Amino acid sequence: MNINSDNPTKAILIGVDTGEYDCTQSLKELEELAVTAGAEVIAAAEQKRPSYDSSTCIGKGRLEEIAETVKNMDIELAVFDLELTANQTKNIENILDIRVIDRTTLILDIFAQRALTKEGRIQVELAQNKYRLAHLAGRGIELSRLGGGIGTRGPGESKLETDKRHIHRRIHTLEEELSKLEKRRELRRHRRKKDNILSCAIVGYTNVGKSTLLNALTDAGVLAENKLFATLDITSRMIILPDGRNVMLTDTVGLIRRLPHNLVEAFKSTLEEAAQADIILNLIDISSDDGMNQAEVTEKLLHELGCDGIPRINVLNKADLISPEEVIAEDKHTVLISAKNHTGFERLLQCISENLPETAKRGKFLVPYDKAALLNKIRDEGKVFSEEYTPDGILTDALVDLKIYHMVSDYKQ
């Protein structure tokens, strides 16, 4: 279901504060999501409760107050900042008399708009079908049982079972397709490892500037907008570090607070680029009041993906938007940049070089003419920057893989 159109849908946001999380901050993020999906947020409402109401999520009295607001302001859509059951959705729609969706449905709508590659579309459809399967029961009159008594099966129940079988089959097909694509990516990773190509994953909260950074460093041409989930599809481009090594730089899907578990599962193949990386750039919006909390969300997911042992650099982006008093001190694992203004890149690349596992050494080597075959090994396993023929041998400026460094170390100048 896509709520995006030329005429923005008038929406109200609704949150229930049970103390589990910062409801006000979460509603702000929900507003960004709604705007990204194409809605015009007219109003917001929240209620403090010890727990969710089983039938309407929010208190019925508060819901009736919201119904008055909806009627007076011609609101067309209610977006709840949590996941609703099918029964809750039906009950709320009966009271508000407008369409009701939850946080997960909204995110799925944005994902459906943003996914461009085959893998991205498969991941979105897989997440949609898993969500649909969990919410089939209790969908109300369209799937209600029309039969009665022992041994009878009304057409409603039959339709429910048919829908379940169809969705199960589709999920199985999508998972098989995704598995084939993942095997191809695994082969590409294996080839990169074999060719000694290092990988660097850019991770971070959505809208912190990951695509902007990738574009700035590599001219990748990835869509970069001031919207949540501006791009979902994975993009990899090669860059050369100051020490001469090649690194494959990979953008990953943006993260948000309380990203529904089934969406994390669906996009795990994309996020696993981080788990397979040689180094991770954790991009943080230093200009955001919520930047450090967002960084914690990223850290938590990286932990879940098993990335704890991978070298990490905290890249503090949008430094151009903060005052000199707010500047945070840089160190070996912290770099201040502005991806938009292309500042701080020299230090960032140097930091990546220093934090990457050492796989090769650069130096000048005077290789005797009778050992010239060594140069072929250096070319195969490393990189030659220049050669100069001298009376004593071939003076070579080269990046030498550690596997063969012992063979040329005696000729180092």
Side-chain angles (χ1 to χ4, degrees), residues 55-56 60 63-64 66-68 70 78 80 84 86-101 138-142:
S55 62
T56 55
K60 195 171 180 181
L63 201 57
E64 286 169 351
I66 293 169
E68 284 296 313
V70 165
F80 272 72
L84 299 171
N87 277 325
Q88 285 172 336
T89 303
K90 178 187 69 173
N91 295 335
I92 295 165
E93 283 181 340
N94 287 340
I95 295 172
L96 296 184
D97 197 28
I98 59 170
R99 194 152 45 101
V100 174
I101 64 172
R139 271 171 56 188
I141 200 164
E142 61 178 309

Side-chain angles (χ1 to χ4, degrees), residues 168-306:
H168 274 299
R169 279 198 302 269
R170 186 60 184 155
I171 286 173
H172 179 69
T173 301
L174 291 169
E175 285 178 336
E176 283 189 334
E177 287 185 49
L178 202 56
S179 178
K180 289 175 186 174
L181 291 169
E182 285 170 4
K183 283 177 184 175
R184 285 181 204 163
R185 187 189 291 119
E186 188 57 43
L187 283 172
R188 287 198 297 270
R189 283 195 202 113
H190 181 70
R191 196 177 301 124
R192 288 204 303 261
K193 295 286 184 189
K194 189 178 177 182
D195 294 340
N196 294 322
I197 296 173
L198 297 162
S199 61
C200 174
I202 308 174
V203 302
Y205 218 70
T206 186
N207 205 29
V208 296
K210 296 188 303 302
S211 296
T212 304
L213 178 60
L214 185 70
N215 286 337
L217 288 173
T218 68
D219 296 323
V222 179
L223 175 67
E225 286 187 285
N226 187 26
K227 286 184 176 180
L228 302 188
F229 302 116
T231 178
L232 290 176
D233 298 310
I234 194 165
T235 305
S236 296
R237 293 290 185 275
M238 192 79 77
I239 61 170
I240 300 174
L241 296 176
D243 61 11
R245 287 186 289 178
N246 291 331
V247 171
M248 186 69 76
L249 198 62
T250 301
D251 191 9
T252 61
V253 65
L255 309 174
I256 61 168
R257 245 181 224 88
R258 296 163 48 231
L259 186 63
H261 183 70
N262 61 325
L263 300 191
V264 174
E265 285 298 313
F267 282 85
K268 213 160 210 179
S269 59
T270 302
L271 293 166
E272 276 174 357
E273 286 294 326
Q276 300 290 336
D278 294 293
I279 192 166
I280 293 171
L281 303 185
N282 183 8
L283 204 61
I284 301 164
D285 180 357
I286 191 65
S287 70
S288 170
D289 294 336
D290 198 39
M292 291 307 161
N293 289 329
Q294 293 174 358
E296 286 176 17
V297 173
T298 306
E299 286 291 342
K300 185 178 178 184
L301 185 58
L302 288 175
H303 174 72
E304 288 174 15
L305 290 169

Side-chain angles (χ1 to χ4, degrees), residues 45-84:
E46 61 180 276
Q47 182 186 41
K48 280 195 173 186
R49 293 178 56 86
S51 61
Y52 302 114
D53 186 282
S54 60
S55 62
T56 55
C57 190
I58 199 168
K60 195 171 180 181
R62 183 73 174 110
L63 201 57
E64 286 169 351
E65 290 174 11
I66 293 169
E68 284 296 313
T69 303
V70 165
K71 185 178 178 181
N72 294 335
M73 302 183 79
D74 293 323
I75 291 171
E76 307 160 85
L77 178 73
V79 186
F80 272 72
D81 192 27
L82 45 96
E83 193 166 307
L84 299 171

